[in-house]
Amino acid sequence: MGEPATKEVLSLDELEAAGGLRTGRKHILSILVENKPGVLTRIAGLFARRGFNIDTLAVGPTDDERISRITLTLDGALHPIDQVTKQLHKLVNVLKIRDLEPRETLARELALFKVSADGAGRAEVMQLCEIFRGKVVDVTKRSIVIELTGTFEKVDAFEQLVRPFGLIEMARTGEIAIARGRSET
Amino acid sequence: MRAVDALMECLKAEGVDVVFGLPGGANLPTYDAFYDAGIRHILVRHEAGGGHAAEGYAKATGKVGVALATSGPGATNLVTPICDAMMDSVPVVFITGQVRTELLGTDGFQEADTIGITMPVVKHSLMIQHPLEIPRGLHEAFHIARTGRPGPVVVDIPQDLSRADIPYEPVSDVHLPGYQPTTEGNQKQIRIAAKALANARRPIIYAGGGVVAANAAAELTELATSDRFPVTCTVMGLGGFPGTHEQWLGMLGMHGTRAANYAMDEADLICAIGARFDDRVTGKLSEFAPRAKFIHIDVDPAEISKNVPAHIPIVGDAKNILPRLTAEYRALAADPARLEEWWSRIRVWQERHPLRYEDSTDSEIKPQYMIQALYEATGGDAIVTSDVGQHQMWAAQYYHFPRPRRWINSGGLGTMGFGLPAAMGAKVGCPDQTVVCIAGDGSVQMNTQELATCSQEGIAIKVFIMNNGYLGMVRQWQELFWDKRYSHVEMGQWPDFVKLAEAYGATGLRLEDKNTLVADMKEAVALDGPVLVDVRVTREENTYPMIPAGQPARNMVG
């Protein structure tokens, strides 16, 4: 909505409401918080209380030891993202929140896949691993463990491909993210 | 200096002249410091009473209230007042004792995870990790409680840390990088809002507790009277606009007036100020104010578009924004005549559907009349607190609050037992004012123990119990929506409130005659010391009008 010039008549019919909208896509929130006890609990509690569902969550240090970075993803089809970020902003220990623009963002997660590999399947699994630029980090007679990094979607795709070979177990970190270029996340 | 003595210095530096609390093992050091700190401490009988008293004090004075409790059960008894203060945005600092740090996490005696238990219902909380944090932590607590959208802050202090010897230096400023409330209000948005008001044919101002909290009642009246904007308030906002003003439509919402609710329903522009579109206001959300565009002014950005999408959001302090909005509006020189049609429609609603009830033909006291009588007996200018239920709604309808901070109730959480201790706190904060509590016979019993505090401290509150022998609002819902199956709502006539008052060292009175009610109430108000008045009213009277829960405003009944 543009700002009407002084003499311009403002028609109420032309006003459009803002906020509360579902964007329909995945959002990656990068949240800088004070490195203090209980901060993660406050964030998790806020999400639970307001009925927001966290898809992935990763917490780690930043270049400043007093500050931690929480990267979390959630579904904008289910939640009004502006309401989520506004509620987060109310937490005193939350310093900064970026709702990262997908095209301007590098996002990666780390995953470990334990796949059964006894016999014929082994070569094929290792070939998939190579295509996805994964790394075999453990081998036994009956299984291999593959380490893979990439976007959430890439890891998902790999999971689907290796599942038929017998996915014994899997561990994923959830995405961490950083803005492209010189600007700060 | 002991950390607890530094704590006292901090309280004094924050201008604290009174605190409400109860000592125990974990806050013994703090209480030792109170012994000669020169701060008035009021010893309550139950921590919840102390918490609500601090709320009453804060609401009546606009200052930050302070309540103290020990660890474990002391702190858990504060949970209700903390939650209440959160829902109604009341600035209160709660200082709780905690077990020694070596016992933390061991299920020690009187240990409870106070920070964890209260986390969902605080504006902020902190547990002191080091004695040196005490002064700064305290000042941060007061700063956060008082600024932006006010609210409760809990400071939990382990017993051993409070005994430590620390160098104390006054803290002159607080720096919280993650807490910077927006107060200014965007000028462009204000200009657009003014234009929207100038173009509206059926505008209404919908003001909430934020106007009172921002001390912006005069500024609201300025805006409303810069043209003939109709005004309605939420139950939290009453007094934010004079209850006798000709542009006043009465309270809105579930038990609001038809004029206010119908005007919201038909409005083309609703200017919400410090209000949060609570379900008791909107009724069925999808059918709320279907023709309206919304200006939403609030200091809390998270309230904007939370329940109802705003067309013109303005984040900031109402006291700062309203004069600028008024000035922008005046500059547009809108034609007041455009509102005439709107007003004639409103006047029809007001004439056809005033607040009304059928008065008794004998000496029986109708509950609505009880409020009218109290309004008359107090000259309409007492500080009135209430509990929660039918009596609260009747008080909101029939006591026409002339100015802000005269009406103190639990709106958001709806806490029974709030009224009596809140009156105690209000009276301590405003000793020269008449402070009355309109209580229910059910509600009042949740905190009558504070009458002992009032007697001991000479806090002269006047409590008027609207006694119908029922949990009246629940009974009303059972009557209307549950086939009159009165399940566990009859309270009978226990206790004998007159004797109870006397046992507590207060004056007890019983009033049953309508014809002498005003005079009797005047006498009760004039008595010295705390007074508990048992007013016997019609037993099965319903609070009307009413929007049945979950229905749109135009479906009002009664």
Side-chain angles (χ1 to χ4, degrees):
Chain A
M1 184 181 62
E3 185 208 0
T6 316
K7 293 286 174 196
E8 194 181 327
V9 172
L10 178 86
S11 163
L12 294 185
D13 296 335
E14 285 167 13
L15 290 171
E16 273 181 36
L21 301 172
R22 307 289 195 273
T23 60
R25 66 170 172 88
K26 181 184 89 172
H27 285 254
I28 303 176
L29 300 185
S30 176
I31 307 165
L32 293 179
V33 300
E34 290 181 275
N35 183 10
K36 285 186 176 171
V39 176
L40 187 61
T41 315
R42 283 178 206 274
I43 291 175
L46 171 77
F47 273 69
R49 190 160 75 246
R50 300 266 173 197
F52 306 144
N53 191 28
I54 300 174
D55 287 336
T56 72
L57 175 73
V59 189
T62 62
D63 51 300
D64 183 339
E65 62 177 6
R66 293 164 303 174
I67 295 173
S68 303
R69 186 188 303 281
I70 295 174
T71 310
L72 63 84
T73 61
L74 71 171
D75 189 345
L78 301 176
H79 306 303
I81 300 297
D82 63 331
Q83 182 60 215
V84 175
T85 56
K86 283 194 247 177
Q87 292 292 351
L88 281 170
H89 263 300
K90 286 171 71 168
L91 298 175
V92 171
N93 303 121
V94 169
L95 301 173
K96 192 175 161 190
I97 303 169
R98 275 281 299 272
D99 178 7
L100 294 168
E101 185 61 38
R103 280 178 308 176
E104 305 294 318
T105 303
L106 293 167
R108 293 290 181 272
E109 74 171 318
L110 170 67
L112 296 169
F113 294 90
K114 188 179 292 177
V115 188
S116 67
D118 40 1
R122 179 184 294 255
E124 227 175 309
V125 170
M126 290 185 62
Q127 202 176 356
L128 283 171
C129 173
E130 204 169 311
I131 293 167
F132 276 77
R133 293 182 194 179
K135 209 160 52 169
V136 176
V137 290
D138 184 55
V139 183
T140 69
K141 277 187 178 161
R142 300 181 54 201
S143 70
I144 55 174
V145 175
I146 295 167
E147 174 193 311
L148 186 73
T149 59
T151 62
F152 182 86
E153 291 74 17
K154 174 183 164 184
V155 176
D156 255 7
F158 185 73
E159 180 202 331
Q160 281 173 23
L161 285 169
V162 296
R163 197 173 270 283
F165 296 95
L167 182 58
I168 299 165
E169 61 182 343
M170 172 183 81
R172 295 173 66 165
T173 59
E175 280 178 315
I176 55 166
I178 206 160
R180 287 180 189 275
R182 179 71 181 82
S183 67
E184 272 181 43
T185 304
Chain B
M1 181 185 287
R2 290 182 305 178
V4 285
D5 296 316
L7 177 77
M8 297 298 134
E9 293 307 314
C10 295
L11 292 175
K12 286 186 218 168
E14 289 290 347
V16 174
D17 49 17
V18 62
V19 301
F20 302 87
L22 195 97
N27 62 3
L28 267 170
T30 308
Y31 273 80
D32 188 66
F34 270 121
Y35 192 79
D36 42 22
I39 295 172
R40 185 179 182 193
H41 177 280
I42 291 175
L43 173 63
V44 297
R45 298 305 189 263
H46 187 291
E47 290 87 349
H52 292 313
E55 285 187 273
Y57 173 88
K59 287 190 181 190
T61 63
K63 295 196 275 186
V64 179
V66 180
L68 290 101
T70 191
S71 63
T76 57
N77 277 344
L78 281 180
V79 172
T80 302
I82 293 169
C83 192
D84 193 274
M86 185 66 175
M87 291 288 269
D88 287 348
S89 308
V90 191
V92 180
V93 171
F94 295 90
I95 303 171
T96 52
Q98 185 51 275
V99 298
R100 300 194 306 273
T101 45
E102 73 200 60
L103 289 173
L104 281 173
T106 67
D107 304 317
F109 176 65
Q110 291 196 327
E111 182 187 359
D113 176 8
T114 303
I115 296 293
I117 289 167
T118 58
M119 195 172 282
V121 293
V122 293
K123 184 173 176 189
H124 189 56
S125 57
L126 61 153
M127 186 197 258
I128 299 298
Q129 312 275 339
H130 191 282
L132 284 175
E133 291 173 15
I134 288 177
R136 183 158 294 278
L138 245 284
H139 287 299
E140 285 175 359
F142 275 84
H143 177 72
I144 292 168
R146 178 194 299 126
T147 53
R149 178 178 180 175
V153 181
V154 172
V155 183
D156 198 30
I157 310 178
Q159 200 253 29
D160 52 332
L161 304 187
S162 68
R163 279 182 295 146
D165 188 31
I166 60 167
Y168 172 68
E169 272 176 45
V171 178
S172 56
D173 63 325
V174 291
H175 176 64
L176 294 160
Y179 177 76
Q180 274 137 10
T182 309
T183 54
E184 270 292 299
N186 183 295
Q187 189 64 30
K188 269 192 197 172
Q189 291 292 92
I190 291 172
R191 198 169 305 140
I192 294 171
K195 281 172 168 290
L197 284 169
N199 282 285
R201 303 275 151 178
R202 299 185 307 278
I204 181 168
I205 292 175
Y206 150 51
V211 169
V212 178
N215 296 315
E219 290 79 359
L220 172 63
T221 303
E222 271 296 298
L223 173 67
T225 54
S226 66
D227 204 328
R228 288 181 69 224
F229 294 122
V231 181
T232 181
C233 285
T234 67
V235 74
M236 294 306 301
L238 295 177
F241 189 77
T244 47
H245 199 283
E246 67 105 18
Q247 285 163 241
W248 172 242
L249 305 191
M251 178 174 76
L252 85 167
M254 182 172 275
H255 293 293
T257 64
R258 273 191 162 76
N261 284 322
Y262 289 177
M264 290 289 282
D265 187 53
E266 293 198 4
D268 64 354
L269 181 71
I270 292 174
C271 182
I273 308 168
R276 60 186 177 84
F277 298 89
D278 178 77
D279 61 274
R280 285 297 191 263
V281 161
T282 63
K284 190 176 183 183
L285 199 57
S286 60
E287 293 180 41
F288 172 65
R291 301 155 193 85
K293 307 286 178 174
F294 295 94
I295 300 169
H296 194 172
I297 301 170
D298 206 293
V299 75
D300 179 359
E303 284 305 334
I304 309 255
S305 299
K306 185 181 79 177
N307 295 336
V308 172
H311 300 81
I312 309 173
I314 308 176
V315 177
D317 187 339
K319 194 168 184 74
N320 171 298
I321 291 167
L322 294 184
R324 287 156 61 199
L325 179 55
T326 306
E328 289 283 349
Y329 180 76
R330 285 215 169 99
L332 294 171
D335 178 12
R338 78 190 189 288
L339 300 181
E340 259 161 37
E341 202 183 311
W342 181 223
W343 268 110
S344 55
R345 189 146 176 75
I346 290 171
R347 293 295 182 221
V348 170
W349 292 324
Q350 287 179 317
E351 276 155 34
R352 269 195 213 151
H353 310 288
L355 288 171
R356 67 181 148 210
Y357 62 95
E358 204 173 311
D359 203 2
S360 60
T361 49
D362 51 14
S363 63
E364 185 180 45
I365 301 168
K366 285 280 182 167
Q368 299 92 332
Y369 178 71
M370 174 183 160
I371 306 295
Q372 290 176 317
L374 189 65
Y375 182 69
E376 199 179 326
T378 54
D381 199 27
I383 293 176
V384 179
T385 73
S386 92
D387 281 316
V388 169
Q390 288 182 312
H391 64 279
Q392 175 193 24
M393 291 298 113
W394 280 315
Q397 290 174 338
Y398 289 95
Y399 202 102
H400 310 293
F401 295 96
R403 49 199 176 102
R405 303 198 181 280
R406 305 265 103 184
W407 167 237
I408 295 171
N409 82 132
S410 168
L413 193 62
T415 308
M416 290 172 67
F418 172 86
L420 193 153
M424 179 170 88
K427 183 69 182 173
V428 168
C430 306
D432 302 331
Q433 306 278 331
T434 300
V435 178
V436 304
C437 167
I438 298 171
D441 55 301
S443 286
V444 76
Q445 293 186 57
M446 292 196 181
N447 272 320
T448 37
Q449 78 284 347
E450 299 311 328
L451 275 179
T453 311
C454 291
S455 291
Q456 185 179 12
E457 292 277 338
I459 303 167
I461 59 170
K462 317 296 168 189
V463 182
F464 291 87
I465 302 170
M466 185 180 278
N467 189 345
N468 56 16
Y470 278 119
L471 295 168
M473 190 59 98
V474 183
R475 185 208 58 74
Q476 175 173 340
W477 282 49
Q478 288 178 346
E479 178 191 328
L480 298 178
F481 310 117
W482 297 86
D483 302 327
K484 232 179 172 179
R485 285 154 57 91
Y486 289 172
S487 182
H488 304 283
V489 287
E490 177 139 26
M491 304 288 281
Q493 285 307 338
W494 295 275
D496 179 328
F497 285 113
V498 175
K499 284 185 182 160
L500 183 75
E502 285 164 2
Y504 276 124
T507 306
L509 299 168
R510 180 164 294 120
L511 304 180
E512 297 173 281
D513 186 349
K514 178 176 85 179
N515 300 308
T516 58
L517 187 59
V518 174
D520 293 341
M521 282 179 155
K522 270 188 188 160
E523 267 179 48
V525 168
L527 286 172
D528 288 334
V531 179
L532 187 68
V533 189
D534 177 12
V535 185
R536 297 292 174 90
V537 300
T538 309
R539 294 207 63 202
E540 297 194 12
E541 184 80 9
N542 288 341
T543 309
Y544 287 126
M546 176 178 193
I547 306 174
Q551 294 198 29
R554 58 184 175 281
N555 291 5
M556 285 202 99
V557 296

